[in-house]
Amino acid sequence: MGRIHIVTDSTGELTKEEIERYNIHIVPLTFQFDQETFVDGKDIGPEEFLEKMANTSKLPKSSQPAVGVFKELFDELGSNGDEVLVITMTGGMSGTVKSAEAAATMSESKVVVVDSRYISYALGFQVLEAAKMAEEGKSMEEIIERLDHIRSNTNLFVVVDTLENLIKGGRIGKGTGLIGSLLNIKPIASLEGGAYNPVAKVRSHKQVVKYIFKQFQENTKGKTIKGVGIAHANGLAMGEPLKRMIEESGYQNVKLGFTSPIISTHTGPGAIGISYYTD
């Protein structure tokens, strides 16, 4: 039996060490500032990106990888009969999964495409688990079954600190945004089902941390916590106390890191996203 190669996009918050250790293939998204194109995770760092975004009146535009880029990689990886498993960010927010599916139909390699239904660390959890199982020699069917289990036992909450990018992106009206900004509202949303679902509005970082930690306790009670990740866009005012509270409650391996520019384009500065899954 040949090996299974794991492919994903650039929004899973994977470290360079993880990518190299498990030989994960990254097909990056791109984004555009005015007429200049940047490759996610390569051409510009997350901090520099946030600085650049703060000085522009228009939001950067992100683009999914081209079908041809996926196909070329699939052809190469499967040329000797090996299988390819692609795990992408949610199709509810990007056409990346559609590009991968189109490429799979064009390639002669054996390719399976899975929509993770998530972004950020919640995507990364699935990718890392698949890569570990592939290394152990597990079959495609076993890996996909495990991914289904992880997906159905994952929670992801996103908190926006400022409504500016939601207004720029046309996701909320200027009037609503102005009122929200004056009241200092922090919208909290879940990514259940792969789409952005508002679940609460609070008025301070402290209330955000309190709300999310309560949800975390309820969702993980009586279960084994397998992974926790907090991604932020200069959002340490919420990210650090939340990490501390989770660690004090008993789970010590909380990941905390900058999110991809692809994600922070939509959330704006100061945002956080917390992902966790259980068995």
Side-chain angles (χ1 to χ4, degrees):
M1 187 173 72
R3 64 180 295 189
I4 297 173
H5 298 273
I6 306 301
V7 176
T8 189
D9 60 60
S10 55
T11 65
E13 322 292 11
L14 298 173
T15 65
K16 286 182 180 178
E17 291 75 21
E18 288 168 336
I19 292 166
E20 290 172 7
R21 165 65 183 83
Y22 294 104
N23 198 25
I24 297 165
H25 300 271
I26 304 294
V27 180
L29 281 78
T30 57
F31 51 89
Q32 218 175 18
F33 271 112
D34 298 320
Q35 301 303 313
E36 196 174 0
T37 300
F38 296 85
V39 177
D40 188 27
K42 183 180 178 183
D43 295 335
I44 188 171
E47 292 173 89
E48 187 186 345
F49 173 84
L50 287 168
E51 216 173 278
K52 195 173 177 71
M53 186 168 64
N55 296 314
T56 181
S57 58
K58 290 183 179 179
L59 286 184
K61 292 182 179 179
S62 58
S63 302
Q64 70 249 28
V67 174
V69 175
F70 273 121
K71 182 183 180 298
E72 187 177 337
L73 179 61
F74 298 166
D75 290 346
E76 178 190 335
L77 295 177
S79 61
N80 61 352
D82 285 354
E83 295 178 270
V84 181
L85 174 58
V86 191
I87 309 167
T88 72
M89 69 184 292
T90 173
M93 293 185 170
S94 168
T96 300
V97 67
K98 295 294 184 189
S99 285
E101 286 171 345
T105 64
M106 296 163 62
S107 176
E108 292 184 9
S109 298
K110 300 172 189 172
V111 182
V112 175
V113 180
V114 172
D115 183 342
S116 74
R117 309 299 291 167
Y118 284 104
I119 55 173
S120 191
Y121 285 110
L123 163 59
F125 294 152
Q126 294 182 42
V127 174
L128 284 173
E129 187 78 2
K132 290 172 186 176
M133 291 181 73
E135 190 178 74
E136 293 166 3
K138 302 295 185 185
S139 68
M140 183 70 79
E141 291 73 22
E142 289 174 305
I143 297 173
I144 289 173
E145 186 179 339
R146 177 62 180 163
L147 295 184
D148 289 342
H149 175 79
I150 294 173
R151 198 176 308 116
S152 60
N153 289 277
T154 293
N155 291 90
L156 170 54
F157 292 97
V158 179
V159 186
V160 174
D161 191 45
T162 169
L163 302 179
E164 188 177 340
N165 280 45
L166 294 177
I167 296 168
K168 282 182 182 178
R171 291 174 185 262
I172 60 173
K174 288 187 178 179
T176 305
L178 178 61
I179 293 168
S181 297
L182 289 172
L183 295 174
N184 201 26
I185 286 174
K186 316 291 180 196
I188 302 173
S190 81
L191 225 73
E192 190 176 351
Y196 184 89
N197 304 293
V199 294
K201 292 176 184 175
V202 299
R203 293 190 182 178
S204 70
H205 291 158
K206 191 174 181 180
Q207 287 178 354
V208 166
V209 173
K210 183 179 177 182
Y211 177 91
I212 292 183
F213 182 64
K214 184 183 176 188
Q215 293 299 311
F216 173 81
Q217 287 182 306
E218 290 176 3
N219 295 146
T220 61
K221 188 176 181 181
K223 300 175 183 176
T224 302
I225 301 167
K226 299 293 289 182
V228 181
I230 301 172
H232 70 93
N234 279 338
L236 293 177
M238 292 182 282
E240 285 184 335
L242 184 56
K243 179 178 186 285
R244 188 164 55 248
M245 288 177 76
I246 291 171
E247 288 176 340
E248 287 172 356
S249 75
Y251 184 80
Q252 300 300 315
N253 301 314
V254 180
K255 295 180 177 181
L256 176 66
F258 262 101
T259 193
S260 156
I262 298 294
I263 296 173
S264 57
T265 292
H266 302 289
T267 63
I272 65 165
I274 175 169
S275 310
Y276 50 91
Y277 77 108
T278 59
D279 268 347

